[in-house]
Amino acid sequence: MGFSLFNFGSRDLAIDLGTCNTLIYARGRGIVIDEPSIVALENVDGVPTVRAIGDEALPMLGRTPVGLRTVRPLRSGVIADLDVAEQMLKHFINKALGPRSRLPGKLEVTIAIPSGSTNVERHAIRDAASNAGANEIHFVEEPLAAAIGADLPVDDPFGSMVCDIGGGTTEVGVISLLGLAYSRSVRVGGDKMDEAVMAMVRRTHNLQIGETTAERVKREIGSARVPADGRGLSLTVKGLDMERGVPKEIEITEAEVVRALADPVGQIVSAVRTALEHTAPEISADIIESGITLTGGSSLLRHLDAVIAEETGLPVNIAERPLECVVLGAGQVLEERVGRGVLQAA
Ligand code: ADP
Ligand code: MG
């Protein structure tokens, strides 16, 4: 087993640098970091300076005084703000290593990257990891890592389909014999859902709500399917009355949220359908049997699994630990429970 004394000094890390959450798996220790990919920046003499990262920056989201702002450096699935992303990665790596960061020797990191990422994006991530102290860097494609973490039979000559629905992107992958037979990444996920909720509330209630509130609405009463009674659950939210410029409280219904989410949900469904259309017949036959496995935080949107099942006619199930699948999968490679053939040179 991995949790031996021998591995105590191990500095091998697997990293899921997500648009919403960063997770790090340390060889022999399991998941050691699970924090939001958020950085709070303060303007010091006109220079943006990091004030807080991850868990410490979260409460500041949408509540920053003048001169302080929070950013999500990976927002759209790529490194949007290189310098900040690098500082965030460095912080998480050091935190993951703890006292081991002062040990000599090599620091090997395996980073899960979106399957659609360009060479420029890959270089940016590699440079960030290297500046954070890593001297051996590998990549593993996200859908493959997600499939390994979801315990799919990735090394069999049998096709499996995984759909990882995160904050910034949705990645669909068809896996067979430890490789991706097909993959597709679309820039739609939880963020687009939150934006849709904000826009709906603004349009129909003349109320401006923050991102954090929109996300709460989505999680608490959001759904991919119209409620049976046409109205469903409801939730009271606070925001800014856009006409009078004062704080106001309104009630939002599930049915309204479902309508607002129809567009991002439709885009996710069509990404899955496109993947199915591009899958070789033999593999399609396997998927009819094995179905589609959902991972990523947004797979938890209520009834999204049922809607994907209806729209594709295939069995759909959500992985056991959807938010952790990618990092657990990359960790399995570190622990050598899966062949290193899945790794790519950075
Ligand atoms: P990423 O890999 O892009 O960092 P994650 O897989 O960590 O993304 O998922 C984060 C997304 O999942 C966020 O948009 C969040 O709002 C969404 N999410 C988490 N839990 C739920 C839930 N119960 N219902 C709907 N969305 C959820
Ligand atoms: Mg992810």
Side-chain angles (χ1 to χ4, degrees), residues 22 43 199 239 335:
T22 297
N43 261 338
E335 302 283 9

Side-chain angles (χ1 to χ4, degrees), residues 16 18 142 164 166 326:
D16 170 10
E142 238 159 14
D164 181 68
V326 169

Side-chain angles (χ1 to χ4, degrees), residues 16-23 37 72 142 164-169 189-191 193-194 215 218-220 295-302 322-323:
D16 170 10
L17 197 56
T19 64
C20 285
N21 298 297
T22 297
L23 287 86
S37 309
R72 282 175 45 201
E142 238 159 14
D164 181 68
I165 315 169
T169 60
D191 291 344
M193 296 181 194
D194 300 348
E215 198 210 353
K218 172 188 72 178
R219 286 192 194 213
E220 291 187 17
T295 64
S298 300
S299 68
L300 294 173
L301 178 74
R302 283 183 309 131
L323 287 133

